[in-house]
Amino acid sequence: MAEPSCRDRLEQALARIADPKGEGARACLTVYADAARKAADARKSRSAAIGPLDGVIVSIKDLFDVAGEPTRAGSKILADEARPAKSDAPIVQRLRAAGAVIVAKTNMTEYAFSGIGANPHYGTPGNPHDRTRVPGGSSAGAPVTVADRMCEIAIGTDTGGSVRIPAALCGLVGFKPSKQRVPTDGAFPLSTTLDSVGPIARTVAECAVADAVMAGEDILPLESIALAGLRFGIAEGLPLDRLDDTVSAAFNAAVARLDGTGVRISRETLTLLDDMVAVNAKGGIAPYEACAIHRDRMARRAGDVDPNVRVRIERGCAISQADYETMVRERRRLVRAMDARLASLDALIMPTTAIVAPTIAEVADEKVFAARNSAMLRNPSIGNFFDLCGISLPLPARLPVGLMLVARNGHDHRLLRIAAATSQLFAA
């Protein structure tokens, strides 16, 4: 039987987005039905593929510029006030040039400022494994569009885990590249220091192709790599603190499975994590930079901002410039120190998040929201702070749990090869 054409797959995706019984209205804030059909049909007259993503159906997060429309970033204020973008974001240009068919812009936490994925303005998409639960954020609609087959690859951003968290909570693969590899121009910023752009998909291979396209790199095959003899370090201390029972059981089972393959597993005490906590005790780099970006909007329309986002921006506004400069300076030193510390390891491993997806109802309470948000962000934000690359892989569990592999900056392709081999251990 012939493989379904791009147009056939697109029509199926559009039907799922439009299904009133599904999550399309909450997962997708803009649907490019006509433009996507035109792009799909254009392939009929070509005898060769346009590029490595030819005919692949892709969704993009609501914070990427698309020419001719305002970039809303999940915000009611920006929907009212933002001027239409003059051009597509570079990563959008690269996706289109590689043959991707962009089907929709996906819902997100307002201004990308939480790991929960709730949005009071446009609704919160239900988690594909339990619709009463959150999908994770801030790239909240992205994993739902992949899991519910509204697209094949979703593109998000990751400032403290916003690609890896929703991937983990929705049973998918999410990759955060080394920051400098993929341009963030044309992506509405949360933190210019920490923002990065990455894909969510069902497989490591799909993430690897999308990542290479967005980085403007040649597509390198994910050559097989033997797990036996690789050096995996378990990050002791903070990353293993207060895990819920489901996450703890899944992670321990994964470690035992890896150990059985001949992976050399070591327990690593990373005092640099204590140094990170001490730096962030001054308030954090992302909140300060978010305040700088949103100060004017907060002065004029703070009441129109999601309260859970507003309180985090307000905390950023209370940080002094001197403390911010100290945090940036200390981070640079710690980035260098962590790079040296990880030189003897192929990957550092830890649970992606400390807990499984909370219910939408429980995070309606602002105090519960804050606690659950902290549990979401704690582990993945380590990768952003120390300027590393990282990937979340799905583990077998009652509810989705992610295994995070983290590697040194610039070691992205090797990490993807390792992740591809590791993911085979846990494939259903």
Side-chain angles (χ1 to χ4, degrees):
M1 182 179 293
E3 291 290 323
S5 68
C6 174
R7 179 62 185 264
D8 290 341
R9 290 182 290 105
L10 174 63
E11 290 302 329
Q12 292 168 2
L14 290 170
R16 293 186 182 101
I17 292 171
D19 183 355
K21 296 180 181 178
E23 294 297 311
R26 285 178 287 273
C28 300
L29 300 188
T30 302
V31 181
Y32 301 110
D34 292 342
R37 287 183 175 118
K38 184 176 179 181
D41 289 344
R43 280 148 183 77
K44 294 179 182 178
S45 61
R46 295 189 178 95
S47 59
I50 297 174
L53 290 176
D54 188 51
V56 176
I57 301 167
V58 173
S59 69
I60 59 174
K61 192 172 180 176
D62 192 47
L63 51 59
F64 291 110
D65 284 352
V66 170
E69 63 183 59
T71 303
R72 165 180 49 199
S75 163
K76 182 172 154 184
I77 300 172
L78 289 174
D80 294 343
E81 298 181 354
R83 294 179 179 179
K86 294 181 179 179
S87 61
D88 289 349
I91 68 105
V92 175
Q93 295 175 22
R94 290 176 180 181
L95 290 166
R96 293 194 202 278
V101 175
I102 296 178
V103 69
K105 267 190 174 178
T106 53
N107 199 355
M108 58 180 283
T109 302
E110 187 171 13
Y111 304 144
F113 210 2
S114 101
I116 296 293
N119 188 306
H121 310 307
Y122 302 107
T124 300
N127 188 300
H129 293 264
D130 178 349
R131 299 300 186 188
T132 69
R133 296 177 183 271
V134 301
S138 64
S139 306
V144 178
T145 58
V146 174
D148 287 355
R149 298 188 183 277
M150 301 174 197
C151 72
E152 291 152 351
I153 298 173
I155 307 301
T157 57
D158 191 310
T159 305
S162 291
V163 161
R164 290 161 292 157
I165 293 167
L169 269 54
C170 294
L172 299 166
V173 178
F175 178 62
K176 176 222 170 296
S178 299
K179 174 180 170 57
Q180 76 281 359
R181 290 184 51 251
V182 180
T184 55
D185 302 337
F188 193 91
L190 170 59
S191 166
T192 53
T193 298
L194 303 174
D195 292 345
S196 55
V197 175
I200 296 174
R202 293 178 179 277
T203 68
V204 175
E206 289 170 310
C207 283
V209 173
D211 168 71
V213 165
M214 292 190 294
E217 298 174 355
D218 293 336
I219 309 299
L220 299 175
L222 283 181
E223 298 168 352
S224 61
I225 190 168
L227 291 175
L230 291 180
R231 301 155 300 175
F232 284 7
I234 299 174
E236 295 270 65
L238 183 68
L240 302 183
D241 185 34
R242 290 170 293 160
L243 303 180
D244 75 20
D245 291 344
T246 302
V247 171
S248 179
F251 180 71
N252 290 334
V255 170
R257 188 78 179 272
L258 286 165
D259 188 52
T261 69
V263 173
R264 294 160 55 191
I265 295 175
S266 57
R267 299 273 174 174
E268 301 290 333
T269 300
L270 301 172
T271 58
L272 289 168
L273 297 182
D274 298 328
D275 296 332
M276 177 192 72
V277 171
V279 170
N280 285 334
K282 295 182 182 297
I285 291 170
Y288 181 93
E289 293 183 344
C291 174
I293 292 162
H294 296 289
R295 191 183 303 275
D296 174 67
R297 275 180 286 273
M298 290 289 288
R300 293 184 294 105
R301 296 183 60 176
D304 289 330
V305 178
D306 175 355
N308 290 308
V309 171
R310 183 174 65 233
V311 69
R312 301 187 75 198
I313 296 174
E314 288 171 344
R315 287 178 190 146
C317 292
I319 300 169
S320 71
Q321 183 176 346
D323 280 346
Y324 169 69
E325 291 173 354
T326 298
M327 287 188 288
V328 170
R329 183 173 59 252
E330 283 297 294
R331 175 181 178 264
R332 289 195 193 107
R333 179 182 66 81
L334 295 174
V335 164
R336 293 191 297 270
M338 182 62 85
D339 183 70
R341 177 66 176 79
L342 297 183
S344 63
L345 298 172
D346 292 294
L348 199 63
I349 61 172
M350 63 189 82
T352 307
T353 63
I355 60 173
V356 297
T359 66
I360 295 171
E362 68 182 295
V363 297
D365 181 297
E366 291 182 12
K367 290 183 179 179
V368 175
F369 182 101
R372 302 293 185 271
N373 188 50
S374 178
M376 293 295 168
L377 294 168
R378 186 191 70 198
N379 287 4
S381 65
I382 292 168
N384 303 83
F385 183 91
F386 288 103
D387 203 12
L388 307 170
C389 55
I391 191 165
S392 181
L393 304 175
L395 292 177
R398 178 180 62 85
L399 286 168
V401 172
L403 172 68
M404 186 162 59
L405 283 67
V406 178
R408 297 165 70 192
N409 186 292
H411 289 227
D412 302 52
H413 188 66
R414 179 170 172 78
L415 177 63
L416 286 163
R417 290 179 62 203
I418 292 170
T422 303
S423 68
Q424 294 302 310
L425 288 179
F426 309 113

